[in-house]
């Protein structure tokens, strides 16, 4: 596959999403049934409601069945629902939209999902497999980032990578992926968090810097090495409606070789990687070989 060229140093999702969609459609046309994703959404978080809507739209565009269930925000109710979905052979993927309301133990809920239906890849069995370098379901945001890097020909092998943030959703699985013994890994990775000291100095050493800290525009040119790549995972909606990331784009863009904008960078990749994992789940549950998307450039 030809590598995608950067335009104005921008690592944009769109051309990669198109490749991903085509791969998913090919996989769908090789099976005689429609995979089905069920989203469990509790509470009334506004941002979550937008994400759930985007997931439903992506499913319908690709021909994946989807259904959003809204149980009472009560732990035993949610656990019972997951038990039912786990044992229903018509359901291929189960996703619990985070954050869960207070009083509900997210670990207990996520641990209850059958690892073969865990399309978010948050179950300890799936994060364990990723840690061991034999991934099954890779969490959607790190997977999307990896596809972006591969598609734009941004090599990780032998490079110094710094990941800001150690969440189970982004930072830690990204660390596992980048450090794994694979073409898309083989990097020397430093994982930083809120207790890290000398953050700017550590970040300055990165050939590729990943920001997943949830702090608007915290990363400035002072954190970035000239000619490096920056991947901005953060999403923040400002009062006036503008969406920005964890990186101050205006200050960092002049210094780097490539950067993901917010929006139009990592976000759309996350949604379509969920579709990818759902189709993969349908294949695995039916003992079919799933052909992974592979960029060779
Ligand atoms: P989180 O709040 O669970 O974790 C944030 C991490 O950043 C923590 O590990 C914390 O130790 C670290 N951190 C906080 N302040 C820091 C600082 N000053 N220096 C160094 N480390 C610091 O967040 P998350 O779920 O990983 O999400 C991170 C960001 O990415 C958020 O803005 C979120 O909205 C966004 N996000 C985007 C996508 C996407 O598809 N683009 C997906 C998931 C999350």
């Amino acid at each position: 596959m030809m590598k995608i060229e950067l335009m104005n140093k921008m690592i944009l999702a769109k051309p990669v999403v198109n490749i991903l969609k085509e791969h998913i459609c090919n996989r769908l046309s090789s099976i005689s049934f429609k995979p089905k994703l069920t989203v469990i959404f509790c509470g009334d978080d506004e941002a979550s409601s937008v994400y759930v809507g985007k997931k439903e739209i992506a499913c319908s565009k690709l021909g994946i069945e989807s259904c959003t269930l809204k149980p009472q925000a009560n732990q035993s109710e949610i656990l019972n629902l997951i038990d039912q979905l786990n044992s229903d052979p018509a359901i291929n993927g189960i996703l619990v939209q985070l954050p869960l309301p207070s009083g509900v133990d997210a670990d207990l809920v996520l641990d209850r999902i059958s690892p073969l239906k865990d399309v978010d890849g948050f179950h300890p069995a799936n994060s364990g497999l990723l840690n061991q370098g034999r991934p099954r379901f890779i969490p959607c945001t790190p997977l999307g980032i990896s596809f972006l890097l591969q598609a734009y020909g941004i090599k990780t092998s032998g490079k110094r990578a710094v990941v800001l943030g150690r969440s189970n959703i982004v930072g830690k699985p990204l660390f596992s992926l980048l450090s794994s013994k694979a073409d898309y890994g083989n990097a020397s990775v430093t994982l930083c968090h809120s207790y890290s000291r000398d953050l700017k100095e550590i970040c300055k050493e990165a050939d590729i810097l990943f920001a997943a800290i949830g702090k608007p525009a915290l990363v400035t040119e002072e954190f970035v090495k000239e000619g490096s790549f920056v991947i901005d995972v953060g999403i923040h909606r400002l009062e006036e409606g503008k969406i920005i990331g964890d990186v101050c784009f205006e200050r960092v863009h002049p210094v780097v070789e490539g950067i993901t904008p917010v929006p139009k960078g990592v976000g759309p990749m996350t949604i379509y990687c969920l579709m990818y994992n759902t189709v993969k789940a349908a294949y695995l549950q039916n003992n079919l070989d799933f052909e992974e998307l592979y960029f060779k450039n």
Side-chain angles (χ1 to χ4, degrees):
M1 203 175 287
M2 290 285 288
K3 96 173 186 188
I4 300 169
E5 296 298 330
L6 293 170
M7 293 241 290
N8 187 24
K9 304 190 196 176
M10 302 264 253
I11 305 169
L12 291 166
K14 194 157 188 201
V16 193
V17 163
N18 287 341
I19 296 168
L20 189 51
K21 278 186 188 166
E22 195 184 322
H23 185 84
I24 294 169
C25 289
N26 283 337
R27 297 300 92 222
L28 285 170
S29 64
S30 305
I31 50 177
S32 56
F33 61 98
K34 274 188 174 187
K36 185 164 180 182
L37 171 69
T38 298
V39 176
I40 299 176
F41 178 31
C42 296
D44 49 14
D45 183 70
E46 209 179 301
S48 297
S49 167
V50 173
Y51 293 138
V52 170
K54 285 188 174 172
K55 288 165 189 174
E56 283 172 344
I57 291 169
C59 280
S60 81
K61 273 190 188 160
L62 291 174
I64 293 171
E65 271 192 57
S66 74
C67 148
T68 302
L69 302 175
K70 295 185 168 180
Q72 297 269 315
N74 163 303
Q75 190 154 291
S76 62
E77 192 121 346
I78 299 171
L79 294 176
N80 283 338
L81 179 59
I82 293 175
D83 288 343
Q84 283 171 35
L85 297 170
N86 280 342
S87 57
D88 182 347
I91 307 292
N92 302 108
I94 305 170
L95 178 153
V96 175
Q97 185 64 41
L98 299 175
L100 283 164
S102 61
V104 181
D105 181 340
D107 286 341
L108 205 65
V109 167
L110 296 177
D111 287 2
R112 193 73 157 234
I113 298 172
S114 160
L116 275 179
K117 297 190 177 186
D118 169 40
V119 287
D120 253 342
F122 297 158
H123 191 283
N126 286 317
S127 49
L129 285 171
L130 176 60
N131 275 332
Q132 290 193 0
R134 45 196 188 114
R136 180 167 50 202
F137 298 119
I138 298 172
C140 302
T141 303
L143 178 60
I145 292 170
S146 178
F147 284 152
L148 274 179
L149 296 176
Q150 292 174 55
Y152 280 90
I154 301 166
K155 303 260 185 275
T156 52
S157 218
K159 297 287 170 59
R160 295 202 69 164
V162 172
V163 176
L164 294 178
R166 59 175 162 190
S167 73
N168 289 334
I169 294 169
V170 188
K172 277 200 216 131
L174 195 52
F175 174 90
S176 294
L177 206 55
L178 293 165
S179 55
S180 61
K181 191 172 179 179
D183 288 346
Y184 52 75
N186 292 332
S188 306
V189 194
T190 305
L191 184 72
C192 295
H193 43 74
S194 47
Y195 285 72
S196 298
R197 289 194 217 146
D198 308 322
L199 208 58
K200 286 182 187 167
E201 287 71 19
I202 296 171
C203 291
K204 273 249 179 215
E205 298 206 341
D207 299 310
I208 316 176
L209 176 64
F210 301 84
I213 43 181
K215 299 271 155 54
L218 183 131
V219 176
T220 62
E221 74 284 4
E222 292 167 6
F223 289 68
V224 175
K225 180 166 81 173
E226 228 179 287
S228 62
F229 292 95
V230 173
I231 306 295
D232 189 356
V233 182
I235 304 178
H236 311 276
R237 187 180 289 273
L238 302 181
E239 267 179 24
E240 68 265 25
K242 189 180 176 202
I243 295 174
I244 64 163
D246 288 346
V247 178
C248 183
F249 184 88
E250 292 74 20
R251 289 172 62 177
V252 170
H253 179 257
V255 184
V256 293
E257 188 168 339
I259 180 168
T260 55
V262 179
K264 297 189 179 173
V266 173
M269 293 303 300
T270 300
I271 306 273
Y272 282 92
C273 284
L274 173 65
M275 305 297 111
Y276 181 90
N277 278 348
T278 302
V279 178
K280 182 172 177 178
Y283 268 72
L284 297 185
Q285 286 154 32
N286 288 281
N287 294 316
L288 298 166
D289 278 338
F290 179 77
E291 191 186 314
E292 300 281 357
L293 177 57
Y294 183 62
F295 294 85
K296 196 172 187 316
N297 50 42

